Amino acid sequence: MSRPFVLIAAAIVAALAGFTAWRAWHTEPPITPPVMATPSPPPVAPAPATAAIQHPVEDAPLAATPAGAVPLDHSDATMRQALADVFAGHALPAFLRVDRVIRNIVATIDALPRESVSPTVMPVNPAPGRMAVTAAGDAMAIAPENATRYTPYIDVLKAVDTRTLATVYLKNYPLFQQAYRELGYPQGYFNDRLVTVIDLMLATPDVQGPIALAQPKVVFTYADPALEALPAGQKMLLRIGRDNATVVKAKLREFRAHIVRTPPPK
């Protein structure tokens, strides 16, 4: 995020859930004093293998007739063409990975509530450069200019037509469902997982001011234990900056409204 982000991500997640260059952050206890942060809901539990369907796609406000039977293994060309419509006929963003599109989107969405997301399944390439950090003595924080690393992702996200994106997703839903079951949920329902993850992202704390960092080893961690304990998806939104996160959340709300009738939790 984190398009972020935001989608199917510049398909569903990249564009909708984060547009971010994710780097795994270790979770050792922080060594600097914690900063105040807005409390957040507990992390989402792993998706159950079996559950009653909560959000059937046929009940979606933009419910669409499923596309013709295209094998998942040969769906990349179909998705590239479909995403071209999402971007109004413009060339697909250079940072969008166009192989294993559906499988990568599904794997990333499923992982966002967890502790980490494997960079190998992210549907977008990482933002260039290193995270910008300010330092004053032993105190470190994410620098305000770090948010500019994600400007190309956010600019693309702003141009995404969420209605068209939702139609592409719903029309090709059987492929997303197949990819989700292949992930290890033979009785799972991907649209339910997607809505749960969107709601998790929307619940990301709105932290004002610089976010303090610690560096107990090689990589940075959040100095605030409450922030360090957040799931991977919420950490992404914090990392891309407050203004960028606001854009991502707005797009997520729009997309959610097209694929499910019930509003997100307050």
Side-chain angles (χ1 to χ4, degrees):
M1 33 181 151
S2 200
R3 3 120 96 243
F5 260 157
V6 276
L7 262 163
I8 293 175
I12 284 182
V13 179
L16 286 179
F19 274 139
T20 61
W22 182 86
R23 294 284 191 276
W25 284 17
H26 295 303
T27 56
E28 292 85 0
I31 60 173
T32 57
V35 296
M36 296 302 293
T38 305
S40 65
V44 175
T50 304
I53 295 175
Q54 302 296 313
H55 305 292
V57 294
E58 57 266 25
D59 291 345
L62 286 183
T65 301
V70 177
L72 180 59
D73 288 340
H74 303 288
S75 62
D76 283 343
T78 298
M79 290 305 298
R80 284 194 291 268
Q81 181 57 51
L83 291 175
D85 294 335
V86 173
F87 296 105
H90 296 293
L92 296 181
F95 54 75
L96 180 64
R97 293 175 177 171
V98 293
D99 62 316
R100 296 177 55 86
V101 175
I102 291 178
R103 284 190 171 98
N104 284 346
I105 289 169
V106 168
T108 297
I109 289 174
D110 182 59
L112 288 173
R114 307 181 193 282
E115 183 178 349
S116 64
V117 182
S118 171
T120 62
V121 301
M122 290 292 284
V124 292
N125 292 317
R130 300 173 62 87
M131 184 173 67
V133 175
T134 60
D138 293 334
M140 296 177 292
I142 299 177
E145 59 267 26
N146 187 65
T148 61
R149 296 173 57 222
Y150 305 100
T151 297
Y153 300 81
I154 296 299
D155 286 346
V156 167
L157 176 58
K158 289 177 179 178
V160 167
D161 184 327
T162 54
R163 184 182 182 90
T164 302
L165 180 64
T167 299
V168 169
Y169 165 65
L170 294 169
K171 185 176 181 180
N172 293 279
Y173 182 76
L175 299 179
F176 288 89
Q177 178 66 18
Q178 179 184 342
Y180 186 55
R181 292 191 171 183
E182 287 181 0
L183 239 125
Y185 308 108
Q187 303 300 319
Y189 195 70
F190 178 67
N191 200 54
D192 286 351
R193 184 62 168 172
L194 174 58
V195 173
T196 296
V197 172
I198 290 175
D199 290 344
L200 172 80
M201 301 296 283
L202 292 177
T204 300
D206 182 14
V207 181
Q208 301 189 31
I211 297 179
L213 301 173
Q215 195 175 21
K217 292 186 178 180
V218 176
V219 298
F220 292 105
T221 64
Y222 291 114
D224 184 337
L227 299 185
E228 183 58 28
L230 294 177
Q234 292 187 340
K235 285 184 177 181
M236 288 180 182
L237 282 190
L238 292 179
R239 186 173 180 176
I240 66 175
R242 191 178 181 212
D243 289 345
N244 288 341
T246 297
V247 174
V248 172
K249 287 182 177 182
K251 283 290 185 179
L252 284 170
R253 289 189 185 94
E254 290 177 11
F255 183 78
R256 189 190 190 283
H258 293 316
I259 66 169
V260 65
R261 295 188 181 277
T262 56
K266 296 293 186 180

